[in-house]
Amino acid sequence: MYDKIPYKIYLEENEIPSAWYNLRADMPVKPAPLLDPATGKPLTFEQMQPIFCDELIRQELDNDTPYIDIPGEVQDFYKMYRPSPLTHAVFLEKALDTPAHIFYKFEGNNTSGSHKLNSAIAQAYYAKKQGLKGVTTETGAGQWGTALSMSCSFMGLDCKVFMVKVSYEQKPFRREVMRTYGASITPSPSETTEVGRRILAEHPGTTGSLGCAISEAVETAVGTEGYRYVLGSVLNQVLLHQSIIGMEAKTACEKYDIHPDIIIGCAGGGSNLGGLISPFMGEKLRGEADYEIIAVEPASCPSFTRGKFAYDFCDTGKVTPLAKMYTLGCDFIPSANHAGGLRFHGMSPVLSQLYHDGYMKAVAVEQTGVFEAAELFARTEGILPAPESSHAIRGAIDEALKCKETGEEKTIILGLTGTGYFDLAAYAQFNDRTMSDYIPTDEELEKGFAGLPKV
Amino acid sequence: MYDKIPYKIYLEENEIPSAWYNLRADMPVKPAPLLDPATGKPLTFEQMQPIFCDELIRQELDNDTPYIDIPGEVQDFYKMYRPSPLTHAVFLEKALDTPAHIFYKFEGNNTSGSHKLNSAIAQAYYAKKQGLKGVTTETGAGQWGTALSMSCSFMGLDCKVFMVKVSYEQKPFRREVMRTYGASITPSPSETTEVGRRILAEHPGTTGSLGCAISEAVETAVGTEGYRYVLGSVLNQVLLHQSIIGMEAKTACEKYDIHPDIIIGCAGGGSNLGGLISPFMGEKLRGEADYEIIAVEPASCPSFTRGKFAYDFCDTGKVTPLAKMYTLGCDFIPSANHAGGLRFHGMSPVLSQLYHDGYMKAVAVEQTGVFEAAELFARTEGILPAPESSHAIRGAIDEALKCKETGEEKTIILGLTGTGYFDLAAYAQFNDRTMSDYIPTDEELEKGFAGLPKV
């Protein structure tokens, strides 16, 4: 069926989209607005200004404009590592002996190792354009922090990264990449912020969490002249920037007559999934085409499949606005045995609304199965995938195996968000057969839900 | 001058060469043959058979056939990660404010992280075709071992890697990549070989060396039914396979009207440099074109610039054949403060002969200057380069800065062999400003030369 197309499809440079697609414009029910936790009322532009860059707030609030031009400098930067290839996974198909056709959109061919760079450079650009001195952010595994460091270095901005302490200590290599790009890295919780000092006092010896690092980054941005806070997932603006993934994928499909039936992505905060599916979901919302869209999340942090659709804080320290999303509660902490990323308790409000309205489905997978899929993918397709991405691979393999049962010749596109070069401690666990699975009990989830704010 | 061409040039899949170019066919003086150290006579096909795969011996000995077809299965594998991009370093040029034009051929977009895969898959293919069970090899930093593990996994061959003990311990992540591809990894020196036991008895507590690991891998191959030894550099066959780098680069130059004046590569054993320059050097040897060809080597291991052109062992244990090459003597051990690769005492016999005959030049650079170049490259071009590759970057920057002095608008092509994701301990040294330089004294070099075999 796809015998005549190249193994790897690279678009021409002039086929890289020059505008992002804003999926919200086509949503029949728009995502709920961010709320001020103090008043329970929607946050205004002015209220967000101390935290976020002006232009990014406009993008965050814009539910109507379908296409937003990508600034020239951002387009130039994109050309450094884009277009990313859409690859026909012929060797994986052969190993699975499936009639299904599997394609993957690979976002890992850049030094940040993931798709995060697509939004980082946009956010750094708007911060620079506003005349800011720098930005603050948090990072867990380090992909977002690396992407932002690269982007700030390129734009000549200062970059302050709060890195979850356990990652800071266990992943010194990511830290060094960020330092090479001139960023300053603070292990979180730290003594440099009020929220950090409070958390350290309450939980001496804590190794930190993403939620806590967010709190520190926000406090620092608000309290430092010429700084704003930037975030690599969850927010509407991030999904907007990440739409470039899906737009390139769709252009490649049209150019080479590829007709996807299923589109699969991993889901932590939703940045990659939201970007990958954007233009396809747009067609679906407009009734122009139909696709099966599947979010794959870890069974140990199952926001979609076992969470509640409710307003919640985006961080542990409860300093952020409230977002309406599928959430396990901001007090929920994934098991320490959880190796990969995708540890966030919540989910993009855009994706949450679409899931709630029945436009996409979600599955939860366990981590040993995820690493089995990763190993098979590495051995057949020659790319060592990130644990996050491997959730999508697991989902795609499961769909391809169903096709083997039914004989259906479905076409599957999966989002391969990045590489696993900095996740080899997890691979070592898998290689040593010391990796285990974990599924939270209903009681554990109830504890998380109990902390949901009353709105 | 090059305003109209894409930032990154990807050839079409059908433009990937279907034959390797054998530079030896055009050499006026052929590289000297490998010698049997016992007799001092050239090794015959039959003498090499216990060590190497048959077809690879034929390629090793073939100084006449200009083009050798790439087997279909190897071409299929190449399509997984090739063609590699030829990228116009516009952001680096801008940062240097130079009239020079810099292009880099980037071989790092694959999980082995370097060009090594180009020869690994060919060698694994021929081993499989011969009906062998597996292959043995050595690895230092781990790039070659990773490439071979991937290739053996793809071909269904067993892969036994002897990894220099200090790397085995300090680079557990590379080890885990190899394990993910199913290879077995033994820290060298080990108790599993006679030469390993001898070295351990003579030097208790040694952290190993590449030369010692070679000795163990050769002994294991010769002593195990159905196994042969494979090597990722130095040999003629390796340069043959690596010619794909240069052939793709040349095709891209012709397609986009790029006229290189200078071609620059880093030189350890010579695999990348030899591959990159092959077709350009061929034109030069045939008198069809002229290029300035520059090998960049570390000042701490200066085979070309301070070595002797003489017959020497390829390993420390003195179990390999003798090769005529520029060498520091197989007893020479680079300073422990040397961070990057390129630690090999010798050099490809092909490149050695060409250098001896005046067709190329060489420069030696110090490591802090190399990492300064790496940092600038990472920040401007968005790729964190391997320390090895950064030698070529240093060389290219120095040439571009000369152009800035003279106003010459030269076109430079540099070989960017790979990424530095597994070299962040060295980057950390650089970031911490604890990195130092080292240049061996004449007396130290004399000690190495004193151990050269009498032929």
Side-chain angles (χ1 to χ4, degrees):
Chain A
M1 186 166 171
Y2 297 121
D3 295 345
K4 297 278 162 58
I5 66 173
Y7 176 69
K8 285 190 301 180
I9 298 171
Y10 279 106
L11 297 176
E12 302 291 324
E13 203 167 271
N14 58 18
E15 292 171 313
I16 303 178
S18 57
W20 294 298
Y21 167 60
N22 182 3
L23 177 57
R24 285 166 282 160
D26 284 311
M27 285 172 71
V29 183
K30 309 294 182 193
L34 296 174
L35 299 187
D36 179 347
T39 65
K41 290 194 179 147
L43 277 179
T44 62
F45 182 90
E46 290 71 23
Q47 284 179 303
M48 294 195 216
Q49 270 190 312
I51 305 176
F52 298 120
C53 304
D54 292 357
E55 188 59 33
L56 292 167
I57 302 172
R58 281 182 207 107
Q59 295 181 354
E60 190 65 25
L61 295 172
D62 186 344
N63 287 342
D64 305 306
T65 313
Y67 290 95
I68 293 176
D69 285 344
I70 304 174
E73 280 184 66
V74 176
Q75 288 193 47
D76 282 348
F77 189 87
Y78 278 170
K79 286 175 191 160
M80 281 172 58
Y81 68 99
R82 307 201 70 82
S84 74
L86 181 70
T87 303
H88 190 182
V90 288
F91 300 107
L92 176 62
E93 288 174 11
K94 201 174 151 194
L96 296 173
D97 190 23
T98 173
H101 305 284
I102 306 173
F103 292 82
Y104 56 94
K105 180 71 173 164
F106 180 43
E107 293 288 318
N109 269 351
N110 69 73
T111 288
S112 81
S114 83
H115 65 292
K116 296 282 182 183
L117 205 48
N118 300 329
S119 185
I121 188 63
Q123 298 195 41
Y125 168 80
Y126 290 118
K128 183 69 179 179
K129 200 179 158 210
Q130 193 175 324
L132 297 176
K133 289 184 204 154
V135 293
T136 72
T137 200
E138 75 294 333
T139 201
Q143 288 178 337
W144 169 247
T146 308
L148 191 68
S149 303
M150 291 174 70
S151 302
C152 287
S153 166
F154 192 80
M155 291 291 171
L157 275 177
D158 184 39
C159 181
K160 296 185 192 298
V161 179
F162 288 87
M163 187 169 188
V164 179
K165 192 180 275 174
V166 61
S167 297
Y168 182 90
E169 285 162 3
Q170 291 180 359
K171 299 199 168 185
F173 290 170
R174 281 274 190 203
R175 188 178 78 207
E176 291 306 327
V177 181
M178 292 185 261
R179 288 182 72 204
T180 301
Y181 283 95
S184 65
I185 324 292
T186 306
S188 167
S190 77
E191 296 284 351
T192 69
T193 66
E194 209 172 291
V195 63
R197 288 188 293 271
R198 197 182 75 212
I199 291 171
L200 282 172
E202 286 170 13
H203 307 279
T206 176
T207 54
S209 73
L210 203 54
C212 164
I214 294 176
S215 310
E216 291 203 84
V218 171
E219 184 187 319
T220 303
V222 172
T224 314
E225 175 71 28
Y227 282 72
R228 293 295 184 279
Y229 167 71
V230 297
L231 179 64
S233 194
V234 183
L235 295 176
N236 299 341
Q237 60 188 264
V238 175
L239 266 71
L240 172 72
H241 307 147
Q242 294 296 356
S243 68
I244 188 134
I245 305 172
M247 294 174 80
E248 279 186 9
K250 193 149 190 308
T251 303
C253 286
E254 286 162 6
K255 187 170 174 181
Y256 289 95
D257 216 18
I258 299 165
H259 298 276
D261 300 294
I262 306 176
I263 299 162
I264 297 182
C266 61
S271 67
N272 161 69
L273 180 69
L276 174 67
I277 67 172
S278 287
F280 301 99
M281 180 63 90
E283 281 192 310
K284 185 168 175 167
L285 294 175
R286 295 190 304 268
E288 297 164 8
D290 197 17
Y291 303 99
E292 190 176 354
I293 294 172
I294 307 175
V296 188
E297 62 182 12
S300 56
C301 192
S303 322
F304 269 136
T305 52
R306 298 177 68 198
K308 284 204 193 311
F309 188 42
Y311 266 108
D312 194 8
F313 290 98
C314 300
D315 67 327
T316 315
K318 307 188 182 184
V319 303
T320 65
L322 301 177
K324 190 170 180 195
M325 57 187 176
Y326 280 86
T327 177
L328 299 167
C330 67
D331 295 332
F332 177 83
I333 293 173
S335 160
N337 98 332
H338 176 111
L342 313 178
R343 302 171 66 98
F344 188 60
H345 65 273
M347 182 56 63
S348 142
V350 167
L351 295 181
S352 294
Q353 190 64 50
L354 290 165
Y355 180 70
H356 181 73
D357 294 342
Y359 292 105
M360 52 184 281
K361 56 186 227 181
V363 295
V365 293
E366 298 181 44
Q367 72 177 351
T368 51
V370 166
F371 276 82
E372 281 162 17
E375 183 186 83
L376 178 63
F377 190 86
R379 290 184 180 188
T380 52
E381 293 294 321
I383 294 172
L384 188 85
E388 295 85 350
S389 325
S390 304
H391 287 71
I393 297 171
R394 176 76 268 168
I397 288 176
D398 290 343
E399 290 299 322
L401 292 176
K402 279 187 214 163
C403 288
K404 190 174 171 178
E405 294 287 319
T406 62
E408 286 175 291
E409 203 179 333
K410 287 186 180 171
T411 298
I412 300 167
I413 293 185
L414 78 97
L416 190 73
T417 54
T419 50
Y421 306 146
F422 293 93
D423 302 288
L424 283 155
Y427 273 95
Q429 275 187 12
F430 178 72
N431 291 336
D432 291 336
R433 301 292 177 258
T434 57
M435 177 173 273
S436 60
D437 290 318
Y438 175 75
I439 299 178
T441 63
D442 288 341
E443 290 69 32
E444 284 171 291
L445 292 188
E446 283 307 326
K447 275 188 212 162
F449 298 145
L452 285 173
K454 310 286 172 272
V455 181
Chain B
M1 185 166 172
Y2 297 120
D3 295 344
K4 296 279 162 59
I5 65 172
Y7 176 68
K8 284 191 301 178
I9 298 172
Y10 279 106
L11 298 177
E12 302 292 323
E13 203 168 271
N14 59 19
E15 291 172 313
I16 302 178
S18 57
W20 293 300
Y21 167 60
N22 183 3
L23 178 57
R24 284 166 282 158
D26 283 312
M27 285 172 69
V29 182
K30 309 295 181 192
L34 297 175
L35 300 187
D36 178 347
T39 65
K41 289 190 180 152
L43 276 180
T44 62
F45 182 90
E46 289 71 23
Q47 284 178 303
M48 293 194 214
Q49 271 190 312
I51 305 178
F52 299 118
C53 304
D54 292 358
E55 189 58 34
L56 292 167
I57 302 171
R58 279 181 208 109
Q59 294 181 355
E60 191 64 27
L61 295 173
D62 186 344
N63 286 342
D64 304 307
T65 314
Y67 290 95
I68 293 176
D69 283 344
I70 304 174
E73 282 184 65
V74 176
Q75 288 192 47
D76 282 347
F77 188 87
Y78 278 170
K79 285 173 193 162
M80 282 173 56
Y81 68 100
R82 308 202 67 83
S84 72
L86 181 71
T87 304
H88 190 181
V90 287
F91 301 106
L92 176 62
E93 288 173 10
K94 201 174 150 194
L96 295 173
D97 189 24
T98 172
H101 306 285
I102 306 173
F103 292 83
Y104 57 93
K105 179 71 172 164
F106 179 42
E107 294 288 317
N109 269 351
N110 71 73
T111 287
S112 80
S114 83
H115 66 291
K116 296 282 182 182
L117 205 48
N118 299 329
S119 184
I121 188 61
Q123 298 195 41
Y125 168 79
Y126 290 118
K128 183 71 179 177
K129 201 180 156 207
Q130 192 175 326
L132 298 176
K133 290 184 203 154
V135 293
T136 71
T137 199
E138 77 293 332
T139 200
Q143 289 179 336
W144 168 247
T146 308
L148 192 68
S149 303
M150 292 175 69
S151 301
C152 286
S153 167
F154 193 80
M155 290 291 170
L157 275 178
D158 184 40
C159 181
K160 294 184 193 299
V161 179
F162 288 86
M163 188 170 188
V164 178
K165 191 179 276 173
V166 61
S167 297
Y168 182 91
E169 286 162 1
Q170 291 180 358
K171 298 200 168 184
F173 290 170
R174 280 274 191 204
R175 187 178 80 206
E176 291 306 326
V177 181
M178 291 185 262
R179 286 183 71 205
T180 300
Y181 283 94
S184 65
I185 324 291
T186 305
S188 167
S190 75
E191 295 284 351
T192 69
T193 64
E194 208 172 291
V195 63
R197 289 189 291 273
R198 196 182 76 210
I199 291 170
L200 283 171
E202 285 171 13
H203 307 279
T206 176
T207 55
S209 72
L210 203 54
C212 164
I214 295 176
S215 309
E216 290 203 85
V218 171
E219 184 187 318
T220 303
V222 172
T224 314
E225 176 70 28
Y227 282 72
R228 293 292 185 283
Y229 168 71
V230 296
L231 179 64
S233 193
V234 183
L235 296 176
N236 299 340
Q237 59 188 263
V238 176
L239 268 70
L240 172 71
H241 307 147
Q242 295 295 357
S243 67
I244 189 133
I245 306 172
M247 293 174 81
E248 279 186 8
K250 193 151 191 303
T251 302
C253 286
E254 287 163 3
K255 188 170 173 181
Y256 289 93
D257 216 18
I258 298 165
H259 298 278
D261 300 294
I262 306 176
I263 299 161
I264 297 183
C266 60
S271 66
N272 162 69
L273 180 69
L276 174 67
I277 67 172
S278 285
F280 300 101
M281 180 63 90
E283 281 192 310
K284 185 167 176 168
L285 293 176
R286 295 190 303 269
E288 296 164 8
D290 197 17
Y291 302 99
E292 190 175 355
I293 293 172
I294 306 175
V296 188
E297 62 183 11
S300 56
C301 192
S303 321
F304 269 136
T305 51
R306 296 176 70 197
K308 282 203 192 313
F309 189 41
Y311 265 107
D312 194 9
F313 290 98
C314 299
D315 68 328
T316 315
K318 305 188 182 184
V319 303
T320 64
L322 301 176
K324 190 168 181 195
M325 56 189 177
Y326 279 86
T327 177
L328 300 166
C330 66
D331 296 331
F332 178 82
I333 293 173
S335 160
N337 98 332
H338 176 111
L342 313 178
R343 301 171 68 96
F344 188 60
H345 65 275
M347 182 55 63
S348 143
V350 167
L351 295 181
S352 293
Q353 189 65 50
L354 290 165
Y355 180 70
H356 181 74
D357 294 343
Y359 291 103
M360 53 185 281
K361 57 186 225 183
V363 295
V365 293
E366 297 181 44
Q367 73 177 351
T368 51
V370 165
F371 276 82
E372 281 163 17
E375 183 185 83
L376 178 64
F377 190 85
R379 291 185 179 189
T380 53
E381 293 294 320
I383 294 172
L384 188 84
E388 295 85 345
S389 324
S390 304
H391 286 73
I393 297 170
R394 177 76 268 168
I397 290 176
D398 289 344
E399 290 298 321
L401 292 176
K402 278 187 216 164
C403 288
K404 190 175 172 179
E405 293 287 318
T406 62
E408 287 174 290
E409 201 179 334
K410 287 185 180 174
T411 298
I412 300 168
I413 292 185
L414 78 96
L416 191 72
T417 54
T419 51
Y421 306 146
F422 293 93
D423 302 289
L424 283 155
Y427 273 95
Q429 275 189 9
F430 179 71
N431 291 336
D432 292 334
R433 302 293 178 257
T434 57
M435 179 174 271
S436 61
D437 290 318
Y438 175 76
I439 299 177
T441 62
D442 288 342
E443 290 69 33
E444 284 171 292
L445 292 188
E446 284 305 327
K447 276 187 211 161
F449 298 145
L452 285 173
K454 310 286 173 272
V455 181

